[in-house]
Amino acid sequence: MALRMWASSTANALRLSTASRPHFSPLSRCFSSVVDGLKYANSHEWVKHEGAVATVGITDHAQDHLGEVVFVDLPDVGGSVTKATGFGAVESVKATSDINSPISGEIVEVNSKLSETPGLINSSPYEDGWMIKIKPSNPSELESLMGAKEYTKFCEEEDASH
Amino acid sequence: MATRKVGLPLMNVISMKGVPILQQLEIEECLLRTSSDNWCIINDGTNKPNIVMGISGKPSELVEIKPVIEDKIPVIRRFTGGGTVIVDDGTIFVSFICNKDSVPDVQPYPRPIMSWSSLLYSKVFHGIADFKLRENDYVFGVRKFGGNAQSITKNRWIHHTSFLWDYKTRNMSYLKVPKRAPDYRLARDHLDFICPMKDYLSRSDFIDKTIEAARSHFSLASSDPPSNFEFTPTSKLLTKQELEAALIKTH
């Protein structure tokens, strides 16, 4: 257990040094990656707030643990999402797994590419694998989410405890 | 049945026999989504043959639609992931619905849950058969006798299994060989790929041993299935029109 935690700490140091770059790097594929500038929920979704719109997807940690995504069930544009409540699901291995929204708001766009290419969630979780775009109804909800360092530590502790 | 070990989380056990599979799925989804308890649901056979696909299943790819329509075999799309099975009175269903905090050593993701389940069932088949979890299927040697599927929510999960205690050879002909099949299947058709549990143990022995294996993780208490629940399930029976539309797609 101690060796695993040491290795995990070293990996985290590596992750943070690569995560300081603004874009996701394929060089960091050895371990789950965390991107600076995003906010993170404890259910492993990320949100990127840019102006009036927030983009949501699942993290590299989540896609790695879920396995190959073969199907994505997403809501319709115009619907609403509520913080910490499910808005869709992914299918991987033999499981459907709920996806929860980190914030509340109105859905203004849905990634239609995911119906034909659900694997984008695995290969590009922070970019091409985005799921929905929201017009936030309460932007202050972002403040209660984790930053990159906090989320990295959260994942490390979660993996270490199992 | 109602023995309680201090320190283990409580699990309610619902024992059913011959309940229609759609009703079983509705009970399961309701308990997953609206209950905060742990549950084990056992259904010893379902009342008539049904085809049950996973959440993303497409009948045009998975089912021989023409004979299914002609023979009026119901086709259900269930709320969990995974593949397609044809179930009947020879199928034994066992489902575990757990709070993730009740099984704290198991991360709430597909593979850890699958591993946990295989440890539980290895106790059931210890000394009886060469049981393994192989690419998400339960096998004796290289033959599948149990198919698994899961649904994972924020704090809870269900892992359910359809066990082939026995099956009718002719029913397997309603199913196509799926495009996505486990590597160990090696392009075998259904009858060369599966095997019945009845060659190894009786129905009652299997159910008793499963309950005993669950007892090592949980304090068990008998329960009745919920009734009149206010919940809209997502598992659904496909209509004849939907099947006919899928048939057109295959041509």
Side-chain angles (χ1 to χ4, degrees):
Chain A
M1 172 70 94
L3 181 62
R4 201 170 103 214
M5 288 184 75
W6 174 85
S8 178
S9 296
T10 305
N12 278 332
L14 287 172
R15 284 203 295 270
L16 280 173
S17 66
T18 57
S20 61
R21 284 187 288 217
H23 296 291
F24 176 70
S25 167
L27 291 176
S28 57
R29 293 308 286 168
C30 299
F31 304 103
S32 295
S33 294
V34 179
V35 174
D36 265 348
L38 305 184
K39 298 290 255 180
Y40 298 88
N42 61 8
S43 48
H44 301 286
E45 293 87 10
W46 58 264
V47 56
K48 184 179 186 180
H49 189 205
E50 295 173 298
V53 170
T55 308
V56 172
I58 66 168
T59 66
D60 192 31
H61 178 277
Q63 70 76 23
D64 183 54
H65 281 63
L66 285 171
E68 184 193 355
V69 176
V70 299
F71 174 74
V72 186
D73 182 21
L74 292 174
D76 294 327
V77 171
S80 62
V81 291
T82 307
K83 180 182 168 73
T85 304
F87 67 81
V90 295
E91 184 184 3
S92 64
V93 193
K94 302 265 185 172
T96 60
S97 299
D98 281 1
I99 308 299
N100 301 290
S101 185
I103 58 171
S104 310
E106 181 193 344
I107 300 167
V108 296
E109 195 177 341
V110 172
N111 188 351
S112 57
K113 286 187 190 169
L114 294 181
S115 60
E116 285 300 316
T117 322
L120 287 172
I121 289 173
N122 297 116
S123 60
S124 183
Y126 297 110
E127 294 177 353
D128 296 335
W130 68 272
M131 292 183 169
I132 59 172
K133 292 185 193 277
I134 303 168
K135 186 174 150 193
S137 57
N138 183 1
S140 66
E141 287 175 336
L142 288 156
E143 292 163 24
S144 62
L145 298 173
M146 292 181 271
K149 283 187 186 170
E150 197 183 347
Y151 177 65
T152 301
K153 188 162 180 278
F154 174 77
C155 291
E156 189 182 304
E157 287 171 355
E158 196 176 76
D159 283 343
S161 67
H162 292 94
Chain B
M1 170 81 84
T3 55
R4 192 179 178 101
K5 276 189 194 169
V6 175
L8 292 178
L10 182 64
M11 176 170 275
N12 302 308
V13 181
I14 298 173
S15 292
M16 310 189 292
K17 187 174 174 68
V19 169
I21 183 58
L22 184 59
Q23 185 180 340
Q24 177 192 326
L25 290 167
E26 291 173 350
I27 290 169
E28 289 179 356
E29 194 180 7
C30 171
L31 291 175
L32 174 70
R33 294 275 175 196
T34 67
S35 168
S36 55
D37 291 343
N38 302 308
W39 299 86
C40 174
I41 297 149
I42 298 171
N43 190 13
D44 187 5
T46 191
N47 62 330
K48 60 178 185 173
N50 275 244
I51 291 170
V52 187
M53 303 185 300
I55 189 171
S56 62
K58 294 178 184 159
S60 56
E61 294 175 4
L62 299 166
V63 171
E64 298 290 356
I65 301 176
K66 198 159 176 295
V68 160
I69 292 175
E70 283 170 0
D71 298 344
K72 298 186 175 59
I73 306 294
V75 180
I76 292 167
R77 184 179 285 117
R78 65 179 185 266
F79 69 100
T80 53
T84 307
V85 291
I86 180 158
V87 299
D88 58 19
D89 57 359
T91 313
I92 303 177
F93 303 90
V94 181
S95 308
F96 289 99
I97 299 173
C98 295
N99 291 307
K100 66 175 187 180
D101 292 341
S102 296
V103 205
D105 292 338
V106 180
Q107 277 198 309
Y109 290 106
R111 287 172 292 210
I113 296 169
M114 197 73 76
S115 293
W116 173 86
S117 77
S118 73
L119 291 177
L120 188 145
Y121 284 109
S122 66
K123 293 181 186 147
V124 174
F125 298 107
H126 179 67
I128 295 172
D130 177 26
F131 167 79
K132 284 188 190 57
L133 173 68
R134 190 153 186 187
E135 293 181 64
N136 308 308
D137 294 335
Y138 296 147
V139 299
F140 293 141
V142 296
R143 288 191 178 235
K144 176 179 177 178
F145 70 94
N148 297 300
Q150 300 164 342
S151 182
I152 304 168
T153 69
K154 199 168 169 193
N155 297 308
R156 290 164 66 72
W157 47 261
I158 178 171
H159 176 96
H160 63 186
T161 309
S162 56
F163 288 96
L164 293 168
W165 189 79
D166 195 9
Y167 51 84
K168 295 171 184 58
T169 303
R170 67 174 185 274
N171 283 349
M172 294 301 155
S173 63
Y174 291 118
L175 303 181
K176 292 184 176 177
V177 177
K179 277 193 286 194
R180 196 179 301 120
D183 291 339
Y184 81 96
R185 182 164 180 161
L186 298 171
R188 288 177 281 167
D189 70 22
H190 273 95
L191 297 176
D192 287 331
F193 175 52
I194 58 177
C195 69
M197 273 170 60
K198 68 175 184 178
D199 294 345
Y200 296 90
L201 75 176
S202 69
R203 297 177 86 124
S204 56
D205 276 353
F206 169 67
I207 291 170
D208 290 346
K209 285 177 183 293
T210 298
I211 291 171
E212 202 49 44
R215 215 187 292 280
S216 62
H217 297 275
F218 303 97
S219 288
L220 304 183
S222 285
S223 183
D224 293 325
S227 55
N228 301 321
F229 40 84
E230 286 183 16
F231 174 76
T232 305
T234 59
S235 298
K236 58 168 271 189
L237 179 67
L238 272 61
T239 62
K240 190 175 174 207
Q241 289 75 19
E242 285 170 313
L243 291 172
E244 285 168 345
L247 184 60
I248 291 167
K249 270 192 200 169
T250 64
H251 294 105

